[in-house]
Structure formats: C-alpha cells, structure tokens
Amino acid sequence: ALFHAAKPEDGTFNTSGDITTIPSRFSVQGGVNFDLAVNNTLTLSSAADFQGENNVVSVGVIDKIGVESPNLRSVNVGLWNRFGDAIIPVVGLETEKMMDHTSLKKQ
C-alpha cells in the first residue's frame, strides 16, 4: 500500500511558517498458513513500513489452537519480532464472526 503519495503539507505542528511535507509511506504485508493437525494452524506473517528515514520490519508466528465450542473457534498465541525494537507476545480469541488479539509488549 502507498500512503501520502502526493506528499501533502504538514501544518499541524508547523509554527515557523515554513512549508513541510509528509513523506510517502510504503507498506507491505504477507503471510502463509500451515495446517499442523486437525483444528491447529500455524500462521507465519511479516509486515514492513518504509517512510522517510523511519523503517519498521516485523515477522511473526501465531498458533491457532482449535477449540471444540459453539462460541469459540480458536485460542491464538504467538510471537512477533519488530527488528531493532521489541519481541512482542500476542494472545487472542477467534469466533465465527470476529478475531481479537492483544499484544503484550513491554517497553
């Protein structure tokens, strides 16, 4: 995805009167699923954002552990590595209609 392609003016914090622009941001995401067993899927994912001098690259793995319940499809646990910044544990729940994850990043 490409954001700020037209490099709009940044006037929010501009108190000097100089015209500054927001650099374009390029973002790429991808992933693949592996069926490990009945009701158990391993998902490998990556994401990268590039904007000006700020670049963030992350890779992660999530194990979707199937649950035999009419209301809950799976319990998801995983780990993300945001290179140069943090290792981030992730936990989540998935139903037929929604998926909710939370990260447990500690600074």
Side-chain angles (χ1 to χ4, degrees):
L2 181 62
F3 303 89
H4 313 301
K7 297 185 179 179
E9 291 182 10
D10 181 13
T12 306
F13 300 106
N14 186 358
T15 59
S16 66
D18 296 332
I19 296 175
T20 58
T21 59
I22 299 171
S24 296
R25 182 179 73 162
F26 180 68
S27 180
V28 178
Q29 297 89 27
V32 62
N33 293 326
F34 298 97
D35 291 329
L36 300 179
V38 176
N39 293 329
N40 193 338
T41 303
L42 190 70
T43 301
L44 301 175
S45 302
S46 63
D49 287 310
F50 307 98
Q51 183 174 24
E53 296 180 15
N54 300 311
N55 299 318
V56 177
V57 178
S58 303
V59 295
V61 60
I62 293 181
D63 189 4
K64 299 173 94 174
I65 304 163
V67 176
E68 297 292 329
S69 168
N71 298 320
L72 186 62
R73 179 186 289 175
S74 66
V75 174
N76 305 335
V77 294
L79 196 64
W80 276 83
N81 183 356
R82 192 165 57 211
F83 295 112
D85 182 34
I87 302 289
I88 306 164
V90 176
V91 294
L93 300 174
E94 185 173 345
T95 69
E96 292 292 327
K97 296 184 178 182
M98 70 114 200
M99 182 185 328
D100 186 30
H101 287 107
T102 187
S103 64
L104 306 169
K105 181 179 178 238
K106 182 177 180 181
Q107 292 285 12

